[in-house]
Structure formats: C-alpha cells, structure tokens
Amino acid sequence: MSLLPVAEALTRILDVATTLETEDVDLLQARGRTLASPVVSKLNNPPFDASAMDGYAVRAEDVASVPVSLNVVGEAGAGRPFTGALRKGEAIRIFTGGSVPDGADAIVIQENVDASGPTITVRETASVGANIRPQGEDFRKDDVLIEAGRCLTARDVLIGASSGHGKLPVVRKPVVAILSTGDELVSPGNPLGPGQISASNAYGLAAVVEAAGGEARFLGIARDTFASLEDRISAAAGADILVTSGGASVGDHDLVRPALEKAGAKLEFYKIAMRPGKPLFFGLRAADGKTQYCLGLPGNPVSSMICARVFLVPLIGRLLGRETPFQAIEAVLAEPIPANGPRQHYMRGLLDMSSAPPRVTPFKSQDSGLIKSLQRADCLVVVPADAPAQSAGTPVKVLKLDI
Ligand code: AMP
Ligand code: MG
C-alpha cells in the first residue's frame, strides 16, 4: 500500500461517518453540545409591550404640551399588570418590565415628573412609543433563532430559555474508547523503572476528545501481546470510536493492526503521507451491533496528538453534525521555511492573529521527540507534500491548536 495523501485519508474517514442520534438535554447541560435541529421560538420577546423604565404610562397626546397634571389611577409592576384601560387625563405608575396598559402609548420617566399624592405633574413631553419595548421587537414566535450544527454557547442557552424551551435537542456525544499500548508504559505519577516511560498519550487524547465534544472512555494500557490487546479491544464494545496509540507500525511488537483485524475491523488504509505520523490506520468494525470507527494513532506523543487534531477532531465533528468540524485558516509565513519532502508536514508554530492577514512563525526544530514544543505551539502550519522552499510572506494554511 502506498502512502495515502492526508486530504484523501480525511475525506475517506469523513465520507463513512454519519451524524449520531438526537437527545434532549436540560438547558443546564446544553452548553458545548451540538444542536441537532433548529431552535424555533415558542414565544414573542418581549411577550407584551413592556416598559423600559420606571415612570408613568400615559397617552402621548396628553403630554404634548407641558407642564400638565394627570391623575394616577393604578400601578403596573413587573409581573403585576394593570387590568383596566387608561383614559384621557390619566396616568399609571409603571416599573421596568411592567406591561404597558391598554390606552397608554408612552412612558414618561419618573425623573421628568413631580409626584404628590394621586396627581402628578409631567414636565417633559413624550412621543408615541417612548420607553416602550413593543411585543416581539426582539424576536417573534416561530422565528428560527439558532441553526442546527452549532456548538451551543452560553448565549445560545440564554436565548433557548428566553424563547420558551426547557430542553434543547442535541446530538448524542460520541463515546471514544482510548487504548494505550506498550510494554514500556507506566501510568503517569508512578515511578519509572529501567526503560519505562510515562503513558501520556491517553490523557492528552482524552482531553482532545472532551474538548471536541466527545466522551472519553479509558481502556487502560494493553501490553504488547495478542492476548492483552484482544482483552482491551473487547472492552471497547459500545464505543462509537476506538482510538489506539502505539504499536501501529511494522515492528515485531506492533500487533495492534492484526489484533484489530482479528476483532473484526476492516482496514481502510494504514499509511499516510504525513509528517509526523506516517503509521496511522483507519478501519471500521461492527461492535455491539453498531459501526465502530477504529483509528490507530502512532505511539509517539507528538505524532499522536497531531494526528488526533488532523483526523480525530474532524471525525468527532462529523459524528456530531457540526457546521464546521475542522477549520484551517489562512495566514502568511513570518519566517521562510525549507522545501518539504514527500509527506505533508504539520509544523508546530505560533500564530499572531493581531495582524491581518494573521502571521505564523514555525518553530526552528520540528523534531517529533519534543513534547515541549507541541505544548508551546498554538497552531500547525500545513506544508503540502513536495512544496518548494517558501519565503516570508507566503500564504499558508494553518490549523489552530485551540483545544
Ligand atoms: P510504537 O508505535 O508503539 O513503537 O511507539 C512509538 C514511540 O512512542 C515509542 O517510543 C513509545 O515508547 C512511545 N509511546 C507509545 N505509546 C505511548 C504512550 N501511550 N505514551 C507515551 N509514549 C508512548
Ligand atoms: Mg509500542
């Protein structure tokens, strides 16, 4: 199998992925979830003509020449409407959020009124509609307020509640089972024996999954034996995605691919023209009666995180039906870069969004052993396979590392 171009690999992954089912969630759980169908208002906002100020509801024509005295015949507070109608020469004491009584068409603010007993003297004129928020001015019943596919913000939750929804329809979170593989791995926080390393990938990947809108399920560490891998893979049943890290190349101990195939995975591809991260595979299997997407990431921590950004985040986005499952942005190089080899290169760097167009500075060293440079980076510059050397100022595509 020759090396598959990244764009083709991504297309093949996204082409087989379909949006998951819908569930209703309480507003308190809605932020960060993906809206499954449009939010249509059940209400007018405001629901009635409402006063925007504390003052007096009047007939504008009664205050056309001032000063003028009016009789106060009632009160309208928020939630306590005045039930009668206003007649010529009358005023109603009203407070912010109070329903404007029938017959009134303006609110005189209290600062422009002298009040004594049941009579007031209005000192300033008020035109029709003054200080009134008309019914439905903001939005109306049946207005589409939020489109499907949006990752709900705090502001979306607010308008969902304002428009009469107690729950919102969202796409079920994809469950992503994460399996680390390797005889050398020790759970983080434990002392390392000779030749051992801290098993970091699953933690970084779980954080990526959660930030991308999925639900991470830890499968622990499989040792480099068929039996151990089979045991852990069987624990992935029910997950929508199974992500493995390590054991994906062709070394003697790289058993993940054959173990997955034995567990029913049909391999779509397993080598990508990408740097870092050549040994990446993707396949599908039926697990627990449903399709499970199997993504085998490289063991190298930098490679596994970059491959997760390039393939796993868009896959989760597609399962969620997100409107923008992945977003490469345009920037210009702040520094020249050398010619690229035959694999599309994802260079760690820093993005300056304060200039237009944004400027990106790739780090000098792109050694995939350097976890610290990944941690410091806030973006990946996408350099196409076989691209010639590029000078500063050249437009490039950039993937933000905002999760
Ligand atoms: P492998 O693909 O299994 O040969 O792993 C490639 C490199 O990544 C080796 O140096 C592994 O020790 C390292 N590695 C594999 N899995 C992990 C992990 N979960 N966390 C940190 N490093 C890992
Ligand atoms: Mg290994």
Side-chain angles (χ1 to χ4, degrees):
M1 209 187 274
S2 64
L3 298 185
L4 195 65
V6 176
E8 200 174 314
L10 188 56
T11 303
R12 283 171 67 170
I13 292 176
L14 296 180
D15 278 356
V16 294
T18 49
T19 309
L20 301 176
E21 322 82 75
T22 299
E23 62 190 22
D24 283 338
V25 287
D26 197 272
L27 291 175
L28 290 174
Q29 272 78 51
R31 196 205 61 81
R33 302 296 301 271
T34 309
L35 192 66
S37 49
V39 171
V40 178
S41 182
K42 296 182 175 184
L43 304 173
N44 295 314
N45 194 52
F48 46 82
D49 292 345
S51 177
M53 301 294 271
D54 292 335
Y56 293 84
V58 298
R59 291 154 33 102
E61 66 180 49
D62 288 356
V63 298
S65 73
V66 288
V68 61
S69 289
L70 300 173
N71 290 328
V72 179
V73 296
E75 191 175 296
R80 288 178 290 108
F82 176 75
T83 46
L86 192 80
R87 287 170 310 194
K88 186 170 170 54
E90 294 177 345
I92 299 285
R93 181 72 168 122
I94 197 164
F95 299 94
T96 305
S99 177
V100 177
D102 286 349
D105 58 12
I107 307 296
V108 180
I109 63 173
Q110 64 190 30
E111 289 82 348
N112 292 343
V113 168
D114 294 322
S116 64
T119 304
I120 56 168
T121 305
V122 177
R123 284 185 276 99
E124 300 282 342
T125 62
S127 50
V128 171
N131 300 309
I132 293 176
R133 298 192 170 123
Q135 179 189 56
E137 175 189 47
D138 184 8
F139 54 82
R140 307 195 70 83
K141 185 172 178 301
D142 298 329
D143 282 356
V144 174
L145 297 175
I146 319 175
E147 298 289 350
R150 179 163 160 100
C151 177
L152 294 170
T153 64
R155 291 158 286 118
D156 295 327
V157 173
L158 176 83
I159 208 166
S162 307
S163 59
H165 297 268
K167 292 174 180 286
L168 291 176
V170 298
V171 181
R172 177 174 69 75
K173 284 188 182 188
V175 175
V176 183
I178 301 173
L179 177 59
S180 311
T181 73
D183 287 339
E184 74 283 27
L185 301 180
V186 173
S187 286
N190 294 300
L192 301 183
Q196 294 185 321
I197 63 164
S198 190
S200 54
N201 290 355
Y203 295 87
L205 294 172
V208 168
V209 165
E210 300 276 343
E215 186 179 309
R217 189 200 290 175
F218 252 52
L219 298 181
I221 300 170
R223 298 306 169 190
D224 290 321
T225 67
F226 229 88
S228 179
L229 283 163
E230 279 188 305
D231 173 65
R232 293 291 79 210
I233 289 170
S234 69
D240 300 290
I241 304 176
L242 167 57
V243 174
T244 62
S245 78
S249 46
V250 289
D252 289 349
H253 303 286
D254 294 329
L255 302 171
V256 174
R257 207 153 27 93
L260 268 172
E261 285 184 303
K262 185 150 181 251
K266 201 192 139 297
L267 226 62
E268 293 277 322
F269 56 79
Y270 69 95
K271 276 184 183 168
I272 308 286
M274 172 172 177
R275 184 155 70 108
K278 180 169 78 175
L280 179 131
F281 67 76
F282 178 70
L284 299 175
R285 70 175 188 132
D288 230 15
K290 66 179 183 193
T291 300
Q292 184 175 75
Y293 308 91
C294 302
L295 189 63
L297 301 178
N300 174 286
V302 170
S303 306
S304 79
M305 288 292 274
I306 291 179
C307 289
R309 174 61 187 86
V310 174
F311 297 106
L312 180 59
V313 171
L315 172 59
I316 291 171
R318 178 57 57 95
L319 295 183
L320 286 170
R322 285 250 165 116
E323 55 187 359
T324 49
F326 43 89
Q327 69 291 20
I329 64 163
E330 304 275 346
V332 295
L333 287 171
E335 305 271 345
I337 55 171
N340 191 22
R343 288 148 61 191
Q344 181 151 299
H345 193 183
Y346 288 81
M347 300 181 82
R348 284 152 275 170
L350 288 174
L351 190 60
D352 176 7
M353 293 291 290
S354 67
S355 61
R359 286 159 57 85
V360 63
T361 308
F363 295 152
K364 287 279 176 278
S365 171
Q366 295 289 331
D367 184 333
S368 66
L370 305 177
I371 295 175
K372 199 169 81 179
S373 92
L374 177 70
Q375 184 267 331
R376 280 187 47 230
D378 60 12
C379 71
L380 300 168
V381 184
V382 186
V383 187
D386 301 315
Q390 328 243 3
S391 52
T394 307
V396 284
K397 289 241 191 299
V398 168
L399 281 182
K400 282 194 186 180
L401 293 174
D402 40 11
I403 55 179

